[in-house]
Amino acid sequence: MKTRTALSALVAATLITTSFAAVAQGQQQGGRGEQGGQQGGQQGGQQYQQQRQAERAATQERAQDRERVQTREQDRAQVHQQDGTGTPAGQAKGAGNGIYGGNLMTVEERNQYREQLGGLKTEQERTQFQAQHREQMQVRSKEKGVPAEVTAD
């Protein structure tokens, strides 16, 4: 009977020790898991911050683009006001931002004209480009015997 009790006590002690060891090991692994989770959370947070920064940069770029366009339009308006008509030189009122001699040009030429004009940075470059274009269209007008008109398309 004493042997049985001693053996039972020994088995119980072994089970208790094994249980504590398993619990301790689980806590250690759980701690590592939490660290891994924190690292993953930090990486996710960094990705979120990078995404937010990229969005802010894109928003700022759009705002700068809008400001550039507004400045360009204001510059053009000032030039048009200075010539006394409120419209570009030689352009009829109400003609909008049409193309001089557009009726003498192909669709491709009109598209190319818009691209080139839009790519110029200063009002002086645009004015020079438009003057050159006007001369070309006047020559073409004489060749074809058709008057050059400002077209909206």
Side-chain angles (χ1 to χ4, degrees):
M1 180 99 165
K2 287 183 177 182
T3 315
R4 202 180 227 180
T5 307
L7 188 59
S8 296
L10 183 62
V11 170
T14 305
L15 288 174
I16 291 172
T17 306
T18 307
S19 299
F20 283 129
V23 169
Q25 187 177 8
Q27 286 177 346
Q28 286 178 348
Q29 288 178 353
R32 285 190 206 124
E34 287 176 16
Q35 287 175 349
Q38 287 173 352
Q39 288 174 352
Q42 288 173 352
Q43 289 175 350
Q46 288 174 350
Q47 288 175 348
Y48 176 75
Q49 287 176 350
Q50 289 173 347
Q51 183 179 3
R52 292 286 297 160
Q53 287 175 346
E55 289 172 1
R56 283 187 206 116
T59 301
Q60 288 175 346
E61 287 176 10
R62 283 192 296 271
Q64 289 172 346
D65 287 345
R66 272 187 244 123
E67 287 177 22
R68 278 190 221 109
V69 169
Q70 287 174 350
T71 302
R72 185 182 291 173
E73 292 301 321
Q74 288 171 352
D75 290 347
R76 287 181 182 172
Q78 285 177 348
V79 168
H80 300 321
Q81 287 174 354
Q82 289 173 357
D83 73 5
T85 62
T87 59
Q91 197 176 64
K93 284 189 177 184
N97 291 330
I99 300 175
Y100 178 82
N103 61 319
L104 303 171
M105 300 168 68
T106 66
V107 173
E108 288 176 355
E109 288 174 323
R110 288 191 297 266
N111 290 336
Q112 183 179 11
Y113 172 88
R114 285 188 203 99
E115 285 178 24
Q116 288 176 337
L117 186 63
L120 300 174
K121 296 187 190 302
T122 66
E123 188 62 36
Q124 182 180 4
E125 289 175 335
R126 286 188 286 277
T127 303
Q128 184 179 8
F129 176 77
Q130 288 172 329
Q132 230 176 2
H133 171 75
R134 179 175 288 277
E135 289 175 15
Q136 291 172 348
M137 291 302 105
Q138 288 171 352
V139 168
R140 194 178 287 187
S141 171
K142 287 178 185 175
E143 288 174 354
K144 292 187 175 190
V146 177
E149 299 174 2
V150 176
T151 60
D153 63 352

